[in-house]
């Protein structure tokens, strides 16, 4: 965990550096990320969220131990040395069970925490800020901190029982919930400096009261809202002047950095400025699968041009049929008339289509595309037409290379932005 522990000292020494947090369970994203990390000689931080991976399987069907095996298998294929691999648990708290009474939800959160730490997840984001059944939607700082301290006790004991290094922790949360906003982004403001200070001080006080003060030495960061977000069709980019007071908090907190969520789609120069201002951990997830889907849809068009028997956009049509048949992942998020919802299902920055790729129908459609393009080097003219971002590589691309290139383009932005400045 040297990389994470070094972030605040590097900032104090005047050499800001950061790390991208890859929040995805997509096989191509994970595999490409690890290959990218090997090529650049960089540590790789991969995180799973409480809803995505938990002791009950989450929406991926994976427990923390399953997820670790999955990532390590990808690392072996990519030739990435796992000594440089950091696994993190994001938003670990009662969120998946908030429909239950608080005590029952917290008991499940404790079991989840134990499963994450026992599986070797060394970076833990403590997030007990959400209310459970009969409680306010967002809890006050003291209640949040008490529940975070309770989860920290479990994490610390589990690490000791399993002979594992003690975790490092991130405290605080951000609004909205993980995955991007699904409401209007008008008036988005950074976290108030006073609110950030209160969160820090309340956690310190409560952790001491609850007997987990030793863990405070390993609280390395605070999740705040720097004033960045993405919605379905728009992106709010970082404006340093609006975050000036918030950034000033780090002047009084030399042991901490900020963690910024929903940094997807930020321009590279904005990512670099976030790191320079102390937002040393940059979360990215939907932006990676969005880039992968974008390339996949371009390949769907290329295959139709190369082989009339393939048909007209059968992959996109298969995804439309699947999402209409099983609307649970998008229906309450995408508003508007039928035409607007159609566009959002496929092209929203929220990228809720990512939940459907593991489905057998989607996997079958991707496999059919792969078969149509098997053994083909894509004609340069079709690459220029349908995958213009890959045009400079035209003449030497196949399907796998196109998909990898799309993901790598996003990873390159984060690698450059988080390099020592």
């Amino acid at each position: 965990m040297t990389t994470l522990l070094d972030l605040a000292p590097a900032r104090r020494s005047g050499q800001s550096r950061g790390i991208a947090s890859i929040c995805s369970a997509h096989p191509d994203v994970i595999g490409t990320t690890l290959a990218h990390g090997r090529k650049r000689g960089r540590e790789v931080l991969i995180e799973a969220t409480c809803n995505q991976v938990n002791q009950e399987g989450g929406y991926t069907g994976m427990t923390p131990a399953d997820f670790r095996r999955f990532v390590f298998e990808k690392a072996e294929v990519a030739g990435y040395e796992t000594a440089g691999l950091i696994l993190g648990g994001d938003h670990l708290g009662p969120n998946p069970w908030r429909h239950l009474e608080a005590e029952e939800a917290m008991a499940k959160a404790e079991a989840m925490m134990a499963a994450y730490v026992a599986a070797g997840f060394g970076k833990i984001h403590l997030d007990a800020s959400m209310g459970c059944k009969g409680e306010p939607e967002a809890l006050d700082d003291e209640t949040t901190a008490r529940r975070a301290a309770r989860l920290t006790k479990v994490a610390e004991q589990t690490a000791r029982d399993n002979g594992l290094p003690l975790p490092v922790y991130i405290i605080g949360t951000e609004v909205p919930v993980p995955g991007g906003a699904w409401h209007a982004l008008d008036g988005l403001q950074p976290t108030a400096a006073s609110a950030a200070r209160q969160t820090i001080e309340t956690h310190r006080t409560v952790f001491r009261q609850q007997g987990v003060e030793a863990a405070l030495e390993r609280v390395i960061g605070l999740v705040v809202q720097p004033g960045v977000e993405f919605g379905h069709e728009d992106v709010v980019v970082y404006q340093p002047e609006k975050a000036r007071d918030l950034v000033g908090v780090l002047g009084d907190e030399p042991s901490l950095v900020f963690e910024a969520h929903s940094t997807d789609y930020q321009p590279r120069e904005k990512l670099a400025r976030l790191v320079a201002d102390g937002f040393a951990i940059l979360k990215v997830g939907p932006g990676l699968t969005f880039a992968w889907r974008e390339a996949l849809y371009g390949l769907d068009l290329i295959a139709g041009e190369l082989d009339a028997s393939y048909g007209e956009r059968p992959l996109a049509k298969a995804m439309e049929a699947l999402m209409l048949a099983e609307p649970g992942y998008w229906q309450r998020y995408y508003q508007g008339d039928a035409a607007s919802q159609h566009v959002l299902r496929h092209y929203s920055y929220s990228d809720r289509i990512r939940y459907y790729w593991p489905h057998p129908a989607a996997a079958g459609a991707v496999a059919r595309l792969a078969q149509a393009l098997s053994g083909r080097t894509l004609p340069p003219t079709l690459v220029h037409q349908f995958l213009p971002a890959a045009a400079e590589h035209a003449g030497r691309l196949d399907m796998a290379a196109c998909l990898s290139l799309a993901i790598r383009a996003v990873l390159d932005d984060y690698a450059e932005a988080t390099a020592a400045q």
Side-chain angles (χ1 to χ4, degrees):
M1 305 303 292
T2 304
T3 297
L4 298 178
L5 291 170
D6 285 348
L7 292 175
R11 176 173 169 76
R12 289 199 306 272
S13 70
Q15 189 180 51
S16 296
R17 59 190 296 266
I19 189 168
S21 169
I22 308 303
C23 301
S24 179
H26 191 286
D28 281 5
V29 168
I30 299 301
T32 302
T33 294
L34 291 162
H36 185 268
R38 176 183 57 78
K39 183 176 181 180
R40 283 188 171 255
R42 296 283 296 270
E43 298 86 355
V44 172
L45 169 59
I46 295 174
E47 302 211 41
T49 69
C50 60
N51 292 313
Q52 181 186 58
V53 172
N54 58 52
Q55 76 276 20
E56 297 173 358
Y59 66 73
T60 63
M62 286 189 279
T63 66
D66 294 333
F67 187 80
R68 182 184 187 277
R69 281 191 293 272
F70 161 66
V71 173
F72 272 57
E73 288 168 1
K74 291 294 181 183
E76 184 176 1
V77 172
Y80 185 82
E81 292 290 338
T82 54
L85 177 59
I86 305 165
L87 293 179
D90 197 22
H91 293 280
L92 297 195
N95 190 57
W97 306 284
R98 59 188 305 180
H99 61 286
L100 302 175
E101 299 287 347
E103 188 56 36
E104 186 178 359
M106 282 297 296
K108 287 181 175 290
E110 288 178 317
M112 176 175 64
M113 181 65 74
Y116 266 89
V117 175
F121 286 69
K123 174 185 178 290
I124 302 297
H125 173 209
L126 300 162
D127 185 6
S129 63
M130 66 292 297
C132 298
K133 184 177 180 180
E135 295 182 325
E137 183 174 351
L139 300 177
D140 61 89
D141 273 350
E142 186 170 349
T143 302
T144 297
R146 283 202 309 271
R147 292 179 182 178
R150 176 174 169 179
L151 295 172
T152 301
K153 289 180 182 179
V154 174
E156 297 280 285
Q157 190 61 52
T158 302
R160 293 190 184 96
D161 290 345
N162 287 273
L164 296 169
L166 295 172
V168 299
Y169 299 100
I170 304 291
I171 59 173
T173 189
E174 98 290 353
V175 177
V177 294
W182 53 284
H183 52 75
L185 295 178
D186 297 339
L188 182 66
Q189 294 294 326
T191 300
S194 58
R197 289 191 174 95
Q198 180 176 326
T199 295
I200 295 167
E201 288 307 315
T202 302
H203 277 74
R204 283 175 177 158
T205 298
V206 171
F207 273 43
R208 292 186 183 108
Q209 291 172 347
Q210 297 298 316
V212 286
E213 61 270 18
L216 290 171
E217 298 177 4
R218 284 170 279 109
V219 174
I220 63 167
L222 173 70
V223 176
V224 291
Q225 170 55 272
V228 304
E229 190 55 83
F230 59 91
H232 297 323
E233 297 178 314
D234 53 351
V235 177
V236 178
V237 300
Y238 182 51
Q239 299 181 56
E241 64 279 4
K242 288 190 174 183
R244 189 175 296 115
D245 289 346
L246 175 60
V247 170
V249 171
L250 293 179
D252 301 321
E253 298 292 345
S255 65
L256 298 179
V257 295
F258 288 141
E259 178 171 287
H261 291 207
S262 300
T263 68
D264 309 67
Y265 313 109
Q266 293 288 311
R268 181 183 294 188
E269 63 273 14
K270 295 296 187 180
L271 294 172
R273 182 57 190 268
L274 280 162
V275 173
D277 284 350
F279 301 91
I281 303 171
L282 303 178
K283 297 264 185 177
V284 57
L288 291 160
T289 43
F290 181 94
W292 182 85
R293 192 275 316 150
E294 189 173 51
L296 199 66
Y297 273 21
L299 291 163
D300 195 29
L301 288 162
I302 288 173
E305 294 292 331
L306 291 174
D307 182 357
S309 68
Y310 176 72
E312 182 181 351
R313 303 195 68 197
L315 172 65
K317 290 177 180 177
M319 296 308 294
E320 175 72 353
L322 173 57
M323 289 187 286
L324 288 175
E326 301 185 16
Y329 286 123
W330 64 265
Q331 195 166 50
R332 78 183 186 96
Y333 300 92
Y334 296 159
Q335 308 301 315
D337 59 22
S340 298
Q341 288 183 338
H342 169 79
V343 171
L344 291 172
R345 279 193 293 273
H346 296 270
Y347 306 108
S348 168
Y349 285 133
S350 307
D351 195 51
R352 301 198 67 83
I353 194 174
R354 71 187 184 275
Y355 298 111
Y356 293 89
W357 295 116
H359 192 284
V366 174
R368 185 182 173 217
L369 172 61
Q371 180 61 37
L373 296 177
S374 178
R376 292 181 183 267
T377 297
L378 303 180
T381 52
L382 292 181
V383 173
H384 277 272
Q385 178 66 38
F386 297 113
L387 295 168
E392 65 180 288
H393 303 278
R396 54 185 187 275
L397 294 175
D398 59 11
M399 176 174 168
C402 284
L403 295 174
S404 176
L405 193 65
I407 296 167
R408 285 173 183 268
V410 179
L411 295 172
D412 282 342
D413 285 342
Y414 281 85
E416 293 298 322
T418 56
Q421 302 178 28

